[in-house]
Amino acid sequence: VQRANNITAKAGGGLFETTLTTKDYDLAATLNSGQVFGWEETAGRWSGVVQGRWVELRATPDGIAVRTAAPPGDWNWLKQFLQSEVQLAEILETFTSDDEFLLRAVTRCHGLRLLRQDPWECLACFILSSTKQIVQIRQIVRVLRERFGEPVATPFGIKPAAAFPAAQRLAEVSEAELRQCRMGFRAPYLRAAAQRVAAGEIDLTGIGRMELEAAREELLRFAGVGEKIADCVLLFAYGFPAAFPVDVWVHRVLTKYYFRGRKVPAERLRQFVRQHFGPHAGYAQQYLFHHERTLNHS
DNA sequence: TCCCAGGCTGCTT
DNA sequence: AAGCAGCATGGG
């Protein structure tokens, strides 16, 4: 059993530190694999905001070194986000052993994990993701945080940071102001989603208690959210392990390696994914995606 | 300059 | 069910 070392050290300058003991955890790959867009790396240190708290993470030989600026309590909020206590090996064991291509991707991306993100932030970010490159999504999200996000405490000497803006905040921002964040035609989608969430018309917390298909239907009620974005939120925020987002990269991989490059009817593809990748298909998807995207420089 | 990006909507066939 | 234009913006 992987255990977090719960010793919290109070360092100088309003700084709290600990180390989460993990194995099989590739922090950089995980934060850089297109499932999350709000983390910035400087010299091996990743900083971001989780549950309204500024956090800095650094990979160490025995786990993840953590620094925060506010009393962290039991760190469960961070363990939950990082999914650092999930037994990766148990998930990988569910993959069929006769899929050499998948196994190669798993080996290449050793330690890549799925996070458990805040539903609103995840939904909003993926509404912004359509036909955008990951670097551009990050850029838009950065501007949104700077302009509309709540400031969060940072340690002495660390530049100010802000949380991703709440739905209630974005609901009152004009479409023109959103467009000034360079999100183009996605602006009205984000604005409408924020307004529906803020008004309680769609209950993001309740979705987490639904069965997969019902949860999916509920997410599809948002304008600008189709099957792919819904599946991203189901997998990255709600943790439905069988959710399997199919974007252009994954579609390319699937047809290329499992269907000899032929065109495949959508229903046939869904069927294949369910039966071939199994209950943790979402993890397989993330390995295939990241592997394909990093082929050139790995 | 052209093509593409973690797509979706609305319209046609 | 499947195909397609349009949609903003920026990277390579």
Side-chain angles (χ1 to χ4, degrees):
Chain A
V1 177
Q2 298 170 32
R3 300 187 49 118
N5 147 15
N6 270 329
I7 298 169
T8 300
K10 175 90 167 69
L15 204 55
F16 299 82
E17 303 183 316
T18 193
T19 295
L20 302 179
T21 304
T22 59
K23 56 178 182 179
D24 306 326
Y25 205 116
D26 186 335
L27 187 64
T30 299
L31 294 177
N32 213 9
S33 62
Q35 58 179 312
V36 68
F37 305 101
W39 291 78
E40 301 193 21
E41 187 261 353
T42 307
R45 297 170 182 273
W46 293 85
S47 60
V49 175
V50 177
Q51 302 285 312
R53 306 166 191 260
W54 176 89
V55 194
E56 185 189 79
L57 307 173
R58 180 173 52 89
T60 68
D62 52 332
I64 301 171
V66 183
R67 305 203 303 177
T68 63
D74 58 11
W75 296 102
N76 281 342
W77 52 276
L78 183 60
K79 296 178 194 170
Q80 168 78 1
F81 172 76
L82 291 172
Q83 295 283 287
S84 55
E85 299 190 343
V86 164
Q87 296 298 311
L88 189 55
E90 292 177 5
I91 292 170
L92 302 183
E93 280 171 11
T94 68
F95 295 160
T96 175
S97 58
D98 64 6
D99 184 343
E100 290 182 21
F101 181 70
L102 176 60
L103 297 183
R104 194 183 322 149
V106 169
T107 304
R108 282 283 198 88
C109 310
H110 184 76
L112 174 60
R113 303 288 191 122
L114 289 177
L115 300 166
R116 186 68 60 85
Q117 301 176 48
D118 172 75
W120 163 247
E121 178 171 350
C122 187
L123 172 66
C125 288
F126 277 97
I127 284 175
L128 298 173
S129 75
S130 71
T131 36
K132 273 290 180 195
Q133 296 184 138
I134 289 173
V135 284
Q136 297 181 311
I137 303 166
R138 302 175 88 113
Q139 175 59 30
I140 296 169
V141 168
R142 186 178 310 126
V143 174
L144 273 178
R145 274 206 317 271
E146 288 168 359
R147 295 189 184 173
F148 308 117
E150 281 294 313
V152 298
T154 54
F156 180 79
I158 301 284
K159 66 179 178 181
F164 186 84
Q168 289 72 15
R169 176 71 182 102
L170 290 184
E172 62 194 18
V173 173
S174 71
E175 182 180 326
E177 288 177 289
L178 291 178
R179 282 184 184 267
Q180 284 166 11
C181 301
R182 324 309 294 168
M183 66 182 72
F185 63 85
R186 304 157 192 84
Y189 294 146
L190 179 62
R191 180 169 148 82
Q195 290 175 340
R196 295 179 80 177
V197 170
E201 186 190 333
I202 298 181
D203 174 16
L204 292 185
T205 304
I207 289 177
R209 293 189 287 265
M210 295 178 179
E211 297 295 316
L212 174 59
E213 281 311 314
R216 198 163 189 260
E217 290 303 311
E218 197 66 6
L219 289 171
L220 290 172
R221 292 176 57 202
F222 288 102
V225 175
E227 296 188 354
K228 188 271 174 182
I229 291 177
D231 286 339
C232 284
V233 179
L234 291 170
L235 183 63
F236 302 142
Y238 292 108
F240 285 98
F244 193 98
V246 178
D247 73 324
V248 290
W249 293 87
V250 173
H251 191 270
R252 191 180 304 151
V253 169
L254 291 179
T255 54
K256 184 162 63 169
Y257 293 101
Y258 299 96
F259 293 91
R260 301 179 176 181
R262 298 183 311 249
K263 266 192 271 186
V264 189
E267 181 52 35
R268 173 83 185 87
L269 199 61
R270 278 192 286 273
Q271 200 177 75
F272 170 79
V273 163
R274 265 200 311 278
Q275 69 92 22
H276 183 75
F277 296 112
H280 292 282
Y283 250 99
Q285 177 275 156
Q286 196 63 11
Y287 280 93
L288 295 176
F289 174 76
H290 194 247
H291 179 247
E292 185 73 5
R293 252 190 12 107
T294 55
L295 268 185
N296 293 333
H297 50 86
S298 63

